[in-house]
Amino acid sequence: GTPIDEQWPGVSSLPDYKCSFPTWRDNILHTVLPGVEGEALELIKSMLVYDPQKRISAKGALLHPYFFT
């Protein structure tokens, strides 16, 4: 979804943030990727987190359970 200050404090004060950005719904990834589920979907979601402090690292992604199931 479109990031908001409640999810990512300070996002609206970033230099390239525009109030005119379209508002996208949150949590629709399963409809965009209908054949992906479980650990794979969870890994993809963790890589698409807006806030870089909360986004999974490359090392963390390689250690994700998806690669071990």
Side-chain angles (χ1 to χ4, degrees), residues 30-44:
H30 64 281
T31 60
V32 178
L33 303 170
V36 180
E37 54 188 44
E39 297 289 349
L41 189 60
E42 188 58 40
L43 176 58
I44 294 168

Side-chain angles (χ1 to χ4, degrees), residues 1-12 17 23-24 26 50:
T2 304
I4 56 175
D5 281 314
E6 287 77 26
Q7 297 168 319
W8 183 356
V11 70
S12 62
Y17 186 88
T23 303
W24 301 100
D26 201 9
Y50 287 112

